[in-house]
Amino acid sequence: MAGDSHAPEMPEAAFETLDEPECLGLIAAGGVGRIGYTGRFGPTVVPVNYALYEGTIVFRTGRHSPMGEDLRTGIANAESKVAFEIDDISPATREGWSILVQGSAHPVDSEDERAAVIRSGVQPWAGGEKELFVRVKPTRITGRRIRRTGRPAAG
Amino acid sequence: MAGDSHAPEMPEAAFETLDEPECLGLIAAGGVGRIGYTGRFGPTVVPVNYALYEGTIVFRTGRHSPMGEDLRTGIANAESKVAFEIDDISPATREGWSILVQGSAHPVDSEDERAAVIRSGVQPWAGGEKELFVRVKPTRITGRRIRRTGRPAAG
């Protein structure tokens, strides 16, 4: 194919799927992930600092921020469908992994639940008032890893 | 606030917005970004290797992959709304930036356009058949940067 003339001399990629326990092990480390949802301007992806707490992804945002408002449907107990993605990819070797959690975003409104998720210790990075805790309850967790095999693809 | 008892002794965050030329300058470097869209299982976020080509984000996927099929609406000339996100965030200093491009995803179907976007040189990382070029035409580009100021927030 014409496009392959641009291929760098990289070993061929081996592609493997990660099972759910492997994914949860990688998610458990916490740190920066990216939350994806449909907001007022269409599909939206924003990095957040998160922690895994009792099987849910917990992060903080401003109650009156665009994300806080977009994730709140305004209907009591209704939840927004969201994606949560983490990855670790090396541009140098073109190896790495990525994980996609799909589920519903649940704004933490009750004082009891708030007291519980504060124990996750999750901090927002951007400063300002980030008083709204949001939990993502996974309904689907998928992951994949790319490794390079010994054989070069080009050359 | 109760949650602040968990605050690490980090300097306070200063938050600034990036204007569109700054965002385009950072996007122009190419590399790994994340595409967000509503797929068969709801909101979806997946890393892709991309290039900026004539003002559009170009990446490759498999024509019959779930993403390839989800981004194709099946209606000639109809386009899916997508998000494209890049960031560079240091977990150590909690400084960094992120950029969100919102727009429509246009599968490259004509041979003429395909011949043009091949010149972007963009390569898929995952190997396999990634013969479908997709271009994201931005309708909205926003960015933000977090810096730490000298004064610690806690202590």
Side-chain angles (χ1 to χ4, degrees):
Chain A
M1 289 184 298
D4 287 353
S5 62
H6 293 269
E9 296 196 19
M10 271 281 164
E12 212 162 73
F15 186 90
E16 59 191 63
T17 55
L18 304 178
D19 62 21
E20 196 170 312
E22 273 181 292
C23 291
L24 284 169
L26 290 162
I27 294 167
V32 177
R34 290 145 201 106
I35 187 90
Y37 60 95
T38 301
R40 58 194 72 185
F41 297 109
T44 302
V45 178
V46 178
V48 293
N49 196 44
Y50 81 96
L52 183 66
Y53 181 74
E54 293 185 346
T56 64
I57 311 292
V58 182
F59 65 92
R60 287 168 63 172
T61 187
R63 195 171 291 275
H64 302 292
S65 68
M67 178 158 68
E69 290 180 354
D70 284 342
L71 291 182
R72 218 171 241 300
T73 59
I75 304 161
N77 303 316
E79 298 180 340
S80 307
K81 296 286 170 208
V82 299
F84 177 77
E85 187 264 0
I86 59 171
D87 59 48
D88 184 9
I89 295 168
S90 159
T93 62
R94 298 189 173 187
E95 293 187 307
W97 53 264
S98 67
I99 291 169
L100 172 61
V101 173
Q102 290 168 303
S104 50
H106 162 69
V108 173
D109 285 323
S110 84
E111 278 308 309
D112 283 357
E113 188 176 6
R114 190 180 157 84
V117 296
I118 282 173
R119 288 195 289 270
S120 71
V122 70
Q123 290 294 325
W125 283 10
E129 293 295 319
K130 303 281 183 184
E131 73 281 20
L132 177 63
F133 285 79
V134 178
R135 299 177 81 165
V136 178
K137 299 180 183 174
T139 53
R140 186 167 181 268
I141 300 177
T142 51
R144 53 187 195 161
R145 186 188 297 274
I146 301 171
R147 293 185 202 275
R148 299 282 152 191
T149 58
R151 193 165 62 85
Chain B
M1 290 184 297
D4 287 354
S5 62
H6 293 270
E9 295 196 18
M10 273 279 165
E12 211 162 74
F15 186 88
E16 59 190 63
T17 56
L18 304 178
D19 62 20
E20 196 169 312
E22 273 181 292
C23 291
L24 283 169
L26 290 163
I27 294 168
V32 177
R34 290 148 202 105
I35 186 89
Y37 60 96
T38 301
R40 58 195 72 184
F41 296 109
T44 302
V45 178
V46 178
V48 293
N49 196 43
Y50 81 97
L52 183 67
Y53 181 73
E54 293 186 346
T56 63
I57 310 292
V58 182
F59 65 92
R60 287 168 62 173
T61 186
R63 196 172 290 275
H64 302 292
S65 67
M67 180 158 68
E69 291 180 354
D70 284 342
L71 292 181
R72 223 169 238 300
T73 59
I75 304 161
N77 304 315
E79 297 180 340
S80 309
K81 297 285 171 211
V82 298
F84 177 77
E85 187 263 0
I86 59 171
D87 60 47
D88 184 9
I89 296 169
S90 158
T93 63
R94 297 187 174 189
E95 293 188 307
W97 52 265
S98 66
I99 292 169
L100 173 62
V101 173
Q102 290 168 302
S104 50
H106 161 70
V108 174
D109 285 323
S110 85
E111 278 308 310
D112 284 358
E113 188 176 7
R114 189 180 157 85
V117 298
I118 281 174
R119 289 196 288 274
S120 72
V122 70
Q123 290 294 325
W125 283 10
E129 292 297 316
K130 303 280 182 184
E131 74 281 20
L132 177 64
F133 286 78
V134 179
R135 298 177 82 166
V136 178
K137 299 182 181 172
T139 52
R140 185 165 182 268
I141 301 177
T142 51
R144 55 186 193 160
R145 188 188 296 275
I146 302 170
R147 291 186 203 276
R148 299 284 151 189
T149 59
R151 193 165 63 84

PDB file of all heavy atoms in Angstrom, chain A residues 1-8 154, chain B residues 60 118 123:
ATOM      1  N   MET A   1       0.842  -1.201   0.000  1.00  0.00           N
ATOM      2  CA  MET A   1       0.000   0.000   0.000  1.00  0.00           C
ATOM      3  C   MET A   1       0.872   1.245   0.000  1.00  0.00           C
ATOM      4  O   MET A   1       1.943   1.260   0.605  1.00  0.00           O
ATOM      5  CB  MET A   1      -0.877   0.021   1.246  1.00  0.00           C
ATOM      6  CG  MET A   1      -1.970  -1.022   1.217  1.00  0.00           C
ATOM      7  SD  MET A   1      -3.022  -0.833   2.679  1.00  0.00           S
ATOM      8  CE  MET A   1      -1.842  -1.136   3.984  1.00  0.00           C
ATOM      9  N   ALA A   2       0.360   2.297  -0.613  1.00  0.00           N
ATOM     10  CA  ALA A   2       1.132   3.536  -0.719  1.00  0.00           C
ATOM     11  C   ALA A   2       1.533   4.074   0.649  1.00  0.00           C
ATOM     12  O   ALA A   2       2.660   4.506   0.847  1.00  0.00           O
ATOM     13  CB  ALA A   2       0.305   4.577  -1.468  1.00  0.00           C
ATOM     14  N   GLY A   3       0.599   4.029   1.620  1.00  0.00           N
ATOM     15  CA  GLY A   3       0.848   4.617   2.936  1.00  0.00           C
ATOM     16  C   GLY A   3       2.037   3.968   3.626  1.00  0.00           C
ATOM     17  O   GLY A   3       2.688   4.590   4.467  1.00  0.00           O
ATOM     18  N   ASP A   4       2.332   2.725   3.324  1.00  0.00           N
ATOM     19  CA  ASP A   4       3.386   2.016   4.023  1.00  0.00           C
ATOM     20  C   ASP A   4       4.781   2.531   3.698  1.00  0.00           C
ATOM     21  O   ASP A   4       5.736   2.210   4.388  1.00  0.00           O
ATOM     22  CB  ASP A   4       3.313   0.507   3.726  1.00  0.00           C
ATOM     23  CG  ASP A   4       2.125  -0.104   4.459  1.00  0.00           C
ATOM     24  OD1 ASP A   4       1.499   0.624   5.257  1.00  0.00           O
ATOM     25  OD2 ASP A   4       1.834  -1.280   4.224  1.00  0.00           O
ATOM     26  N   SER A   5       4.903   3.337   2.654  1.00  0.00           N
ATOM     27  CA  SER A   5       6.212   3.894   2.355  1.00  0.00           C
ATOM     28  C   SER A   5       6.674   4.822   3.476  1.00  0.00           C
ATOM     29  O   SER A   5       7.846   5.109   3.601  1.00  0.00           O
ATOM     30  CB  SER A   5       6.172   4.661   1.034  1.00  0.00           C
ATOM     31  OG  SER A   5       5.271   5.746   1.139  1.00  0.00           O
ATOM     32  N   HIS A   6       5.728   5.263   4.306  1.00  0.00           N
ATOM     33  CA  HIS A   6       6.089   6.140   5.409  1.00  0.00           C
ATOM     34  C   HIS A   6       6.415   5.363   6.683  1.00  0.00           C
ATOM     35  O   HIS A   6       6.742   5.960   7.694  1.00  0.00           O
ATOM     36  CB  HIS A   6       4.942   7.105   5.723  1.00  0.00           C
ATOM     37  CG  HIS A   6       4.702   8.097   4.622  1.00  0.00           C
ATOM     38  ND1 HIS A   6       5.318   9.323   4.585  1.00  0.00           N
ATOM     39  CD2 HIS A   6       3.926   8.017   3.520  1.00  0.00           C
ATOM     40  CE1 HIS A   6       4.916   9.965   3.498  1.00  0.00           C
ATOM     41  NE2 HIS A   6       4.070   9.199   2.846  1.00  0.00           N
ATOM     42  N   ALA A   7       6.267   4.032   6.662  1.00  0.00           N
ATOM     43  CA  ALA A   7       6.448   3.263   7.891  1.00  0.00           C
ATOM     44  C   ALA A   7       7.884   3.382   8.393  1.00  0.00           C
ATOM     45  O   ALA A   7       8.815   3.163   7.630  1.00  0.00           O
ATOM     46  CB  ALA A   7       6.113   1.792   7.641  1.00  0.00           C
ATOM     47  N   PRO A   8       8.070   3.765   9.675  1.00  0.00           N
ATOM     48  CA  PRO A   8       9.418   3.772  10.213  1.00  0.00           C
ATOM     49  C   PRO A   8       9.862   2.318  10.430  1.00  0.00           C
ATOM     50  O   PRO A   8       9.035   1.413  10.401  1.00  0.00           O
ATOM     51  CB  PRO A   8       9.254   4.484  11.541  1.00  0.00           C
ATOM     52  CG  PRO A   8       7.844   4.202  11.942  1.00  0.00           C
ATOM     53  CD  PRO A   8       7.058   4.058  10.670  1.00  0.00           C
ATOM     54  N   ALA A 154       9.209  -3.218   8.590  1.00  0.00           N
ATOM     55  CA  ALA A 154       9.676  -2.647   7.323  1.00  0.00           C
ATOM     56  C   ALA A 154      11.169  -2.938   7.184  1.00  0.00           C
ATOM     57  O   ALA A 154      11.873  -3.139   8.154  1.00  0.00           O
ATOM     58  CB  ALA A 154       9.437  -1.146   7.293  1.00  0.00           C
TER      59      ALA A 154
ATOM     60  N   ARG B  60      -5.537   7.010  11.796  1.00  0.00           N
ATOM     61  CA  ARG B  60      -5.944   5.834  11.031  1.00  0.00           C
ATOM     62  C   ARG B  60      -6.600   4.802  11.921  1.00  0.00           C
ATOM     63  O   ARG B  60      -6.242   4.640  13.080  1.00  0.00           O
ATOM     64  CB  ARG B  60      -4.719   5.214  10.343  1.00  0.00           C
ATOM     65  CG  ARG B  60      -4.240   6.053   9.180  1.00  0.00           C
ATOM     66  CD  ARG B  60      -2.888   5.627   8.673  1.00  0.00           C
ATOM     67  NE  ARG B  60      -2.874   4.271   8.155  1.00  0.00           N
ATOM     68  CZ  ARG B  60      -1.820   3.726   7.532  1.00  0.00           C
ATOM     69  NH1 ARG B  60      -0.710   4.431   7.361  1.00  0.00           N
ATOM     70  NH2 ARG B  60      -1.877   2.508   7.087  1.00  0.00           N
ATOM     71  N   ILE B 118      -2.357  10.929   3.093  1.00  0.00           N
ATOM     72  CA  ILE B 118      -1.198  10.038   3.251  1.00  0.00           C
ATOM     73  C   ILE B 118       0.053  10.882   3.435  1.00  0.00           C
ATOM     74  O   ILE B 118       0.975  10.495   4.159  1.00  0.00           O
ATOM     75  CB  ILE B 118      -1.085   9.069   2.049  1.00  0.00           C
ATOM     76  CG1 ILE B 118      -2.096   7.922   2.211  1.00  0.00           C
ATOM     77  CG2 ILE B 118       0.343   8.513   1.909  1.00  0.00           C
ATOM     78  CD1 ILE B 118      -2.182   6.984   1.023  1.00  0.00           C
ATOM     79  N   GLN B 123       1.024   7.389  11.146  1.00  0.00           N
ATOM     80  CA  GLN B 123       1.104   5.936  11.235  1.00  0.00           C
ATOM     81  C   GLN B 123       0.226   5.453  12.375  1.00  0.00           C
ATOM     82  O   GLN B 123       0.216   6.064  13.433  1.00  0.00           O
ATOM     83  CB  GLN B 123       2.552   5.517  11.562  1.00  0.00           C
ATOM     84  CG  GLN B 123       3.519   5.753  10.427  1.00  0.00           C
ATOM     85  CD  GLN B 123       3.200   4.859   9.233  1.00  0.00           C
ATOM     86  OE1 GLN B 123       2.764   3.730   9.412  1.00  0.00           O
ATOM     87  NE2 GLN B 123       3.399   5.374   8.044  1.00  0.00           N
TER      88      GLN B 123
END
